[in-house]
Amino acid sequence: MIRKLVKIVGGNATDISDVPYQVSVVINGNTLCGGSILSQDWVITAAHCIYNESATSIVVHAGTNIWYSGIPYGVSRVFRHQDYDPNTYINDVALLLLVNSIQYDSNTFPRQPIALAETLPADGTQVLVSGYGDTSENGNLATTLMSVYVNMVNVDSCNTSYAGEVLDGMFCAAAPKKDSCQGDSGGPIVYNNTLIGVVSWGYGCANPQYPGVYTSVPYFYDWITTIYTATNNDLV
């Protein structure tokens, strides 16, 4: 089976004003991932999206329903989790320090931060995932921002489906004929207006046997906050 580098399947067109924390992360002008605004200077995404990429190859687009539009922000520094493993996707989280600060707006180009969750919701809880990715497995990128509700899946059950590949710091979510997919990687999965996870990987898109797998924000809460609350002089 091939891991998806996760678009939204089975979802609905969504206005950026409903998910103003959503951004697109464009690498070398053509590779697409998602991300979320944490503060005026920081965006969170998946480590696999920017693996071995330089900051100058990445542009973040905010406040838009179309991934290549909106307001572009250059990236000055990339902080990929130091223990990320591209073979297992463990520790699949990264932070981007922007060149210019995001000016929050709720009007023409909606841009707002999202708070970090400190705990995951219970199994079965409905959560929202959004992105600009494919609308079907191996399909085409969406023409507009999409979102879909999925449900938290018991990790042990999910790990059984994946034969032990769901590792520490990961959780699962799924719903019939609904999922994230290629191009959504790094984007937000949200509960109660808090960021609970980052789109990471899975087998196929909306495959009933294999839920989507996400990086847990609560698991990495200390790692994330240690970096993005530091001053530039503290960053190494």
Side-chain angles (χ1 to χ4, degrees):
M1 300 294 291
I2 298 175
R3 295 173 187 257
K4 67 184 178 189
L5 300 185
V6 218
K7 167 122 202 174
I8 300 297
V9 178
N12 299 301
T14 300
D15 193 82
I16 188 64
S17 61
D18 294 324
V19 288
Y21 47 82
Q22 172 86 51
V23 298
S24 66
V25 177
V26 183
I27 301 97
N28 294 313
N30 52 28
T31 302
L32 173 65
C33 275
S36 303
I37 299 170
L38 295 184
S39 72
Q40 289 184 305
D41 298 309
W42 291 97
V43 163
I44 187 171
T45 188
H48 77 256
C49 287
I50 47 82
Y51 187 61
N52 287 336
E53 295 292 342
S54 66
T56 56
S57 69
I58 305 168
V59 178
V60 171
H61 293 258
T64 179
N65 293 327
I66 304 172
W67 65 270
Y68 54 82
S69 187
I71 299 178
Y73 296 89
V75 174
S76 65
R77 299 187 69 177
V78 174
F79 294 85
R80 188 183 69 243
H81 195 284
Q82 64 275 11
D83 295 321
Y84 168 67
D85 185 338
N87 296 308
T88 64
Y89 284 59
I90 196 169
N91 306 308
D92 190 17
V93 60
L95 296 179
L96 307 177
L97 179 61
L98 304 179
V99 174
N100 298 312
S101 297
I102 295 172
Q103 301 304 308
Y104 299 147
D105 188 3
S106 298
N107 299 308
T108 307
F109 298 101
R111 289 152 287 155
Q112 297 290 336
I114 188 166
L116 299 173
E118 297 187 50
T119 59
L120 289 176
D123 295 347
T125 301
Q126 189 177 71
V127 293
L128 181 69
V129 61
S130 54
Y132 302 92
D134 298 344
T135 52
S136 62
E137 186 172 349
N138 300 316
N140 298 316
L141 289 176
T143 56
T144 188
L145 178 64
M146 304 282 286
S147 68
V148 67
Y149 284 100
V150 291
N151 301 314
M152 298 290 290
V153 172
N154 179 270
V155 171
D156 291 336
S157 172
C158 185
N159 209 11
T160 298
S161 298
Y162 280 107
E165 293 185 88
V166 180
L167 305 175
D168 290 346
M170 301 177 185
F171 70 88
C172 302
K177 299 182 180 180
K178 298 177 181 181
D179 198 3
S180 51
C181 198
Q182 291 90 354
D184 291 325
S185 287
I189 182 167
V190 171
Y191 172 69
N192 198 24
N193 296 315
T194 62
L195 184 70
I196 62 168
V198 173
V199 180
S200 185
W201 66 278
Y203 287 163
C205 302
N207 185 321
Q209 293 181 292
Y210 298 104
V213 184
Y214 300 82
T215 301
S216 169
V217 161
Y219 186 90
F220 293 101
Y221 184 89
D222 289 343
W223 183 86
I224 296 166
T225 55
T226 296
I227 292 176
Y228 92 73
T229 58
T231 67
N232 286 340
N233 290 333
D234 294 329
L235 297 173
V236 295

